[in-house]
Amino acid sequence: MPTDYACHTAAEQAAHCLTPVCSALVPDAHGAPGEAEVMPVVLRNYLGAGRPAPTTVRAGTAVVGVATGALVLRICLDGLRAEMEGTLALWHGQLIQRLPEVLNRQKTAAREWQVLQDLQSDAQEVLTYLARRERGAAPGARMLGGQVALLEDALCGALRRLSVPTESAEPCASGLAKAVGSLFGLALSPTGH
């Protein structure tokens, strides 16, 4: 069973990975001021319709909290279960809605200890599911490593569909996969595979 420490560390790692992509997924989240036009509309209209669209100024990057990192890891564990049950495509389709929702609700997230306890329970369920697999299946750790690699690919694809640039999506997906793997004591290679 994943320890309290492993769950907290994994949630911190997930929060750290999500922070750079949070503004791309939820531009006006976390109470940040909205976009402000650098060029006033009246001046832009005076200069002509051919002027480029106004540039925007954004507030500083919002930092993702540990509780939100744990919530995203719970979504990732749902993805592992979905892969084992053959419903990964359905999970992937819902991910592009669930991920921004979780990041948008960050300020109103439940108490950190409760979310971490739920994360630990979900991780235990995944281990129990693995233990119940038929005997003909690949050994647990090797099978789980492959499933985490598949999860990383699915996460990266979902982030790209949510307009996160590749240079941010890949490290985020890799970091989330490593955080999920760390819940089970897996040490993934630098590429995550």
Side-chain angles (χ1 to χ4, degrees):
M1 178 168 173
T3 64
D4 294 338
Y5 178 76
C7 290
H8 192 273
T9 302
E12 282 181 342
Q13 182 178 356
H16 179 72
C17 295
L18 289 164
T19 295
V21 300
C22 187
S23 61
L25 294 174
V26 189
D28 295 326
H30 320 294
E35 297 178 353
E37 291 188 1
V38 174
M39 181 184 300
V41 175
V42 175
L43 181 57
R44 189 174 71 246
N45 289 341
Y46 174 77
L47 293 173
R51 298 294 293 176
T55 57
T56 57
V57 178
R58 293 200 186 278
T61 304
V63 176
V64 176
V66 173
T68 301
L71 287 171
V72 171
L73 286 180
R74 291 186 68 204
I75 291 172
C76 293
L77 290 175
D78 288 346
L80 280 180
R81 279 192 297 262
E83 196 283 325
M84 291 181 223
E85 296 168 356
T87 59
L88 187 63
L90 177 63
W91 172 83
H92 186 266
Q94 295 170 345
L95 184 61
I96 62 171
Q97 292 174 333
R98 291 178 70 192
L99 193 55
E101 284 174 3
V102 166
L103 292 171
N104 199 24
R105 291 183 302 151
Q106 174 166 281
K107 280 189 149 182
T108 59
R111 293 185 181 139
E112 185 177 305
W113 65 268
Q114 181 63 52
V115 178
L116 288 170
Q117 188 176 29
D118 293 341
L119 174 63
Q120 187 175 28
S121 176
D122 286 355
Q124 180 61 38
E125 286 178 20
V126 169
L127 286 176
T128 302
Y129 189 88
L130 276 173
R132 291 182 183 162
R133 299 280 293 202
E134 60 245 358
R135 294 187 179 256
R142 195 171 55 202
M143 184 175 79
L144 184 60
Q147 290 168 331
V148 170
L150 183 60
L151 177 72
E152 177 182 346
D153 293 342
L155 286 168
C156 189
L159 289 169
R160 292 293 298 126
R161 284 179 59 203
L162 288 164
S163 300
V164 175
T166 303
E167 59 273 5
S168 299
E170 289 176 357
C172 180
S174 177
L176 288 173
K178 287 177 187 175
V180 168
S182 73
L183 289 170
F184 306 108
L186 295 177
L188 301 174
S189 66
T191 61
H193 297 233

